[in-house]
Amino acid sequence: MTLAGEIIATARQMTALGLNRGRSGNVSARTGSGFLVTPSGRDYATMIPDQIVAMAMTGAWEGPHKPSSEWRFHRDLLASRPEFNAVIHAHPVHATALAVHGRGIGAFHYMVAIAGGADIRCAPYATFGTQALSDHVLAALEGRRACLMAHHGMIACGSTLDEALEIALEVETLAEQFIAASAIGPPPELSAEEMAEVIAKFQAGYGYASSPGEPAEEQV
């Protein structure tokens, strides 16, 4: 399968997994000198590889189709984070519900470390498709592989499309669990020391890869 085909397959999986509905969300993947990104306003179910947009890191694109309106944060993330080869943006119900309140996800569960740190931040709101939004996203993703976006949705990044999708699904699961736990009361959190131990295990390859091409030894 071509990279364009893989992007389409990933976008369709997002819908099948409940991470997206309708035409919302977008997907990108690095190429040698730029990146490919899903087009603006296209239905994933009928999308074909020729509609995937090839973009340069300058923001220029080739072909008759317009790139996703969110191409700026895809470009900026891939340009500034060489460990990322894929970026997924989605509007899943639970992660977006937290983002509407401007709330990130603290260390209530050790799997929060899948995003690269002891918490999952929420980027401040800015209008979709703007450089201001991209700047907020880059700051929220410093040292992280996923973040929420206030009044908007979430982003997950990985060394591959599969890894980015796995992280996106786990973040949505954590958001659902956090909301359920919050119905009982404010969820207690693990200590910084406990989260540091989990992060070290993940970075060592226990459960989830921490760098491009690093295999995960086992699921935990």
Side-chain angles (χ1 to χ4, degrees):
M1 185 184 296
T2 64
L3 183 58
E6 291 177 16
I7 288 173
I8 293 171
T10 299
R12 290 173 179 169
Q13 279 188 280
M14 287 163 60
T15 301
L17 292 168
L19 295 174
N20 256 351
R21 297 179 185 178
R23 300 183 183 186
S24 63
N26 27 78
V27 181
S28 69
R30 185 188 302 277
T31 60
S33 58
F35 63 101
L36 301 181
V37 66
T38 47
S40 177
R42 294 284 178 174
D43 187 344
Y44 296 139
T46 58
M47 192 178 293
I48 60 174
D50 285 350
Q51 294 170 333
I52 298 298
V53 182
M55 296 197 69
M57 290 302 182
T58 61
W61 71 82
E62 302 173 6
H65 303 288
K66 291 179 61 176
S68 165
S69 60
E70 303 290 18
W71 65 264
R72 286 175 179 82
F73 64 64
H74 287 273
R75 185 269 311 274
D76 292 348
L77 284 167
L78 292 171
S80 64
R81 300 288 295 272
E83 73 272 30
F84 295 158
N85 293 315
V87 177
I88 286 176
H89 167 53
H91 301 168
V93 172
H94 299 91
T96 302
L98 290 177
V100 165
H101 289 276
R103 296 184 64 175
I105 304 175
F108 83 107
H109 192 291
Y110 78 90
M111 280 301 296
V112 165
I114 195 175
D119 62 0
I120 298 171
R121 305 181 187 116
C122 184
Y125 178 78
T127 304
F128 75 92
T130 61
Q131 188 59 48
L133 177 59
S134 181
D135 293 344
H136 289 330
V137 164
L138 261 66
L141 280 169
E142 185 176 352
R144 300 289 189 272
R145 300 192 294 176
C147 74
L148 307 187
M149 306 161 69
H151 301 280
H152 194 150
M154 60 92 73
I155 290 176
C157 310
S159 60
T160 65
L161 285 163
D162 285 346
E163 183 181 65
L165 183 64
E166 180 181 14
I167 292 170
L169 182 58
E170 185 61 40
V171 170
E172 170 61 2
T173 299
L174 288 163
E176 183 176 8
Q177 292 167 343
F178 182 80
I179 291 171
S182 296
I184 301 171
E189 295 191 357
L190 297 169
S191 68
E193 293 76 17
E194 288 166 329
M195 286 302 294
E197 183 176 352
V198 173
I199 293 166
K201 283 181 176 289
F202 281 8
Q203 290 175 343
Y206 185 88
Y208 292 88
S210 59
S211 62
E214 180 179 338
E217 294 179 356
E218 58 183 299
Q219 300 297 319
V220 294

